[in-house]
Structure formats: structure tokens, C-alpha cells
Amino acid sequence: MSIAINKEKCVGCKKCFSVCPGSLIQEDENGKAYVKYPKDCWGCCSCVKECKVKAISLYLGADIGGRGSQMTVETKKDNVNHKQIMHWEITESDKTVHAIDINPKSSNQY
Ligand code: SF4
Ligand code: SF4
């Protein structure tokens, strides 16, 4: 499985259901999200970016040097310029956190 869903954080908004290209995320008996077909998840990150409460994290496996760390992302305003940024956080298995801030308007420009 490529993602983990923290059910304590999940507020049952269902936004991740519709963005998953494989329709892999569904609602459990308590109205929370769960991955019904975890083996089919290819780690596209759409659900991770869509979840506004950071309930979904992406596993960074050993094959990409992640050693079991988990990655989350949130969109927010930076403290200096008050421009919208994507704030990525990688939490290693020893709880060390690395943060990366990206301006989505200046990224992906070719
Ligand atoms: S987007 Fe996040 S809060 Fe909404 S249902 Fe999915 S996991 Fe829960
Ligand atoms: S990472 Fe992509 S494929 Fe996997 S559950 Fe999330 S949206 Fe679906």
C-alpha cells in the first residue's frame, strides 16, 4: 500500500474518493475513508494533496530512499510574502520531520 489514512484526522468529507483515478478509496461504516484496494494504489498523490486535514500520507519506501518515512502536504500562505504555497512534510520513522515549501505558480514551468 502506498498511502496511510489517519482515521482520527479524517472528517469524512469524501473529497479523496473522487480524485483517486482508480476509485480505490471508499467510506467505512463510521463515515471515514479507507483504501479498499490497497494493492492497486500506485502512489499518484492526488488524494494526499486533496485532503485538507492531512489525514492521508504517502509511504516513501526503501525503493525510493524513503526507509519507511511518510509524506503529507497542505496548501497554505507563507509567513513572509503571504503567497500560497504547498507545504510538504516528510516524517521519518524516528519522527524527524523535514519540510519543503513550494510555490505552485513557479513550479512546473518549462
Ligand atoms: S479527503 Fe481527508 S478528510 Fe476527506 S474523506 Fe478523505 S481522508 Fe477523510
Ligand atoms: S495515491 Fe493516487 S492511486 Fe493511491 S489511493 Fe491516492 S489517489 Fe488513489
Side-chain angles (χ1 to χ4, degrees):
M1 184 166 74
S2 294
I3 64 161
I5 298 177
N6 183 329
K7 296 207 179 195
E8 289 185 12
K9 289 184 178 177
C10 174
V11 295
C13 72
K14 301 182 184 174
K15 287 182 176 173
C16 58
F17 298 15
S18 55
V19 297
C20 177
S23 302
L24 308 178
I25 306 175
Q26 297 194 9
E27 184 176 15
D28 73 8
E29 64 279 6
N30 299 310
K32 308 276 185 167
Y34 80 104
V35 191
K36 184 165 186 184
Y37 309 104
K39 287 183 181 167
D40 292 340
C41 171
W42 60 92
C44 72
C45 246
S46 296
C47 59
V48 179
K49 289 191 270 189
E50 190 66 24
C51 182
K52 303 304 179 217
V53 295
K54 289 171 64 179
I56 307 178
S57 56
L58 182 77
Y59 282 114
L60 302 177
D63 53 333
I64 57 171
R67 296 174 303 186
S69 47
Q70 289 179 250
M71 184 173 70
T72 57
V73 62
E74 65 181 324
T75 302
K76 62 181 192 179
K77 298 211 170 166
D78 78 56
N79 295 330
V80 179
N81 301 315
H82 307 291
K83 293 195 171 158
Q84 197 173 57
I85 57 165
M86 293 184 82
H87 178 77
W88 296 84
E89 277 187 6
I90 296 169
T91 305
E92 296 190 30
S93 49
D94 67 0
K95 304 298 179 198
T96 303
V97 176
H98 306 276
I100 305 166
D101 289 335
I102 295 172
N103 179 339
K105 285 193 175 165
S106 60
S107 62
N108 296 324
Q109 290 183 352
Y110 298 98

